[in-house]
Amino acid sequence: MNNCKSIDILAEDFLSYKRGIGYQYITSETYLNGFVKYTHQNYPNAKFPNKDVILAYLDTKKDYPGALYGLTAVLREFSRYLLNQGCENVYVIPPKRMPKLYPEPPYFFTEDETVHFFLACDSVKSNQSFKGREYVLPALFRILYCCGLRCKEVRKLLCSDVHLSENYIDILQSKGAKSRRLFISWELSDYLKGYNQKIENVFPGRTYFFPRSLTDYYTAGFISENFKRLWKQAFSDWDGPISRPRAYDFRHHFVWANLNRWVKEGTDINAMLPYLVRYMGHQHPSSTLYYFRFVPEFFPVFTELSESLEDILPEVPYEEE
């Protein structure tokens, strides 16, 4: 049928459908709303996302590969939903239309680098504009380093999802409708208990474990800028890449460090890999297999299986920080 509702109502219906099956769809809603606004302004007679509208809008985002990647996925899902609802002449973006991203290679920290970085963290002074940051920053970066979490998972971590007496943290609906429970070491748990007591005195009854205020969390920029500031403080003569390392590299380092440790201990990697995939919250094992290329002991194994490692190991997928 062609008598579909207006495109803004269709978008609202689609978002309601996605949330009804468990997806938060927060960033995706922003992408979709941008598309709807563009359609109203440039194609006011369009009642559904046809090929001309979609390709024209994607072209406006060609200089923003990260946004284009997410936008393409959302618009494809939106079109599939409309087809299932009976709308005709809806354009579904072909799978190969998805832009291939080539992010910078991960940075792996030396032991000396981590020691000096956390010494800089522990020297953070109080600031009235960012109450409690002298407690938040050392603890936040330690949990990134020790657990390999995504930066956004740490920023939005609720107090109600942190169970230090039982040594675990719940990460709820981080990517899509997927959630996971992460068990942490006694050492990290004890450290976080001390942090919790200090920050509770600053923000009693707070909502978020790493709070910006009583009911709010810090932005991604706060983590990024403070990591750069502390890294520069720890290594004033740093002559490495200007853009590296980043706070997100703690996540890369976590996988790499565990793989290397298991190799040295003689642990069966095949047995451990499913646990690591789950702990990281990767949607596909290939996302975890990417890091095998950085562990020298695995090279002989993979070269026997394939003439090229690229046939086995994909590029590291795009992930929102």
Side-chain angles (χ1 to χ4, degrees):
M1 62 181 181
N2 284 317
N3 57 335
C4 289
K5 306 173 186 177
S6 63
I7 194 167
D8 53 337
I9 300 299
L10 290 171
E12 291 178 7
D13 291 345
F14 170 67
L15 292 171
S16 296
Y17 162 73
K18 280 293 187 179
R19 286 168 180 153
I21 59 175
Y23 290 86
Q24 290 186 323
Y25 242 59
I26 297 173
T27 302
S28 298
E29 179 180 13
T30 302
Y31 288 143
L32 190 57
N33 287 342
F35 171 73
V36 171
K37 181 179 179 180
Y38 174 86
T39 303
H40 279 313
Q41 292 176 343
N42 298 276
Y43 296 84
N45 296 322
K47 301 299 182 182
F48 46 81
N50 58 48
K51 186 173 183 178
D52 290 341
V53 177
I54 287 181
L55 294 185
Y57 186 58
L58 291 178
D59 190 60
T60 67
K61 304 296 181 182
K62 62 184 178 182
D63 294 329
Y64 306 94
L68 187 59
Y69 185 94
L71 174 63
T72 301
V74 173
L75 292 181
R76 183 183 293 124
E77 283 294 300
F78 182 41
S79 295
R80 287 172 176 167
Y81 166 82
L82 295 180
L83 289 177
N84 289 333
Q85 296 302 306
C87 295
E88 299 176 359
N89 299 319
V90 175
Y91 178 65
V92 179
I93 304 172
K96 292 186 179 180
R97 179 80 187 187
M98 183 75 77
K100 189 174 182 180
L101 302 181
Y102 295 93
E104 297 180 75
Y107 185 92
F108 303 119
F109 301 89
T110 66
E111 184 176 350
D112 182 68
E113 287 174 342
T114 57
V115 168
H116 282 82
F117 176 79
F118 285 112
L119 285 174
C121 286
D122 293 337
S123 69
V124 172
K125 305 299 182 183
S126 60
N127 185 312
Q128 286 303 308
S129 298
F130 303 97
K131 290 184 178 181
R133 74 167 189 176
E134 67 273 24
Y135 307 131
V136 169
L137 289 174
L140 185 150
F141 285 125
R142 276 180 169 85
I143 203 170
L144 285 175
Y145 174 76
C146 294
C147 299
L149 295 174
R150 300 178 177 95
C151 294
K152 67 174 183 177
E153 293 172 340
V154 175
R155 291 192 297 111
K156 300 179 180 181
L157 186 62
L158 295 168
C159 289
S160 58
D161 293 330
V162 179
H163 306 272
L164 299 179
S165 297
E166 292 81 19
N167 288 6
Y168 70 85
I169 298 170
D170 286 330
I171 305 297
L172 304 181
Q173 294 188 324
S174 173
K175 296 197 73 174
K178 297 182 180 297
S179 301
R180 64 194 193 277
R181 174 165 292 180
L182 306 182
F183 286 89
I184 61 177
S185 67
W186 283 103
E187 182 181 8
L188 178 59
S189 183
D190 287 343
Y191 177 88
L192 293 177
K193 287 177 183 177
Y195 156 77
N196 191 48
Q197 292 176 349
K198 295 174 184 177
I199 199 65
E200 187 66 18
N201 291 330
V202 181
F203 297 113
R206 72 194 191 280
T207 301
Y208 293 95
F209 196 67
F210 297 108
R212 177 183 181 181
S213 65
L214 199 60
T215 58
D216 198 9
Y217 53 82
Y218 281 108
T219 64
F222 175 84
I223 294 182
S224 176
E225 291 305 314
N226 276 281
F227 179 89
K228 292 177 182 178
R229 179 175 64 84
L230 292 169
W231 186 264
K232 185 178 293 186
Q233 178 181 326
F235 302 98
S236 57
D237 57 347
W238 174 251
D239 59 356
I242 297 177
S243 62
R244 307 313 288 263
R246 309 166 302 164
Y248 198 83
D249 284 310
F250 279 140
R251 178 169 169 81
H252 297 315
H253 181 90
F254 179 84
V255 182
W256 175 81
N258 275 285
L259 290 175
N260 275 282
R261 177 168 56 85
W262 291 336
V263 167
K264 292 177 181 178
E265 294 175 350
T267 302
D268 185 348
I269 302 297
N270 291 325
M272 298 300 295
L273 183 60
Y275 295 101
L276 184 58
V277 172
R278 178 63 176 165
Y279 198 93
M280 298 301 295
H282 285 152
Q283 297 187 34
H284 305 288
S286 60
S287 298
T288 312
L289 287 172
Y290 165 78
Y291 297 95
F292 277 54
R293 70 180 70 189
F294 300 107
V295 182
E297 286 80 359
F298 287 127
F299 272 84
V301 177
F302 284 118
T303 51
E304 290 178 6
L305 295 175
S306 172
E307 294 181 357
S308 172
L309 289 175
E310 299 302 322
D311 294 336
I312 301 175
L313 304 176
E315 292 297 327
V316 62
Y318 168 77
E319 286 191 306
E320 181 184 351
E321 294 187 20

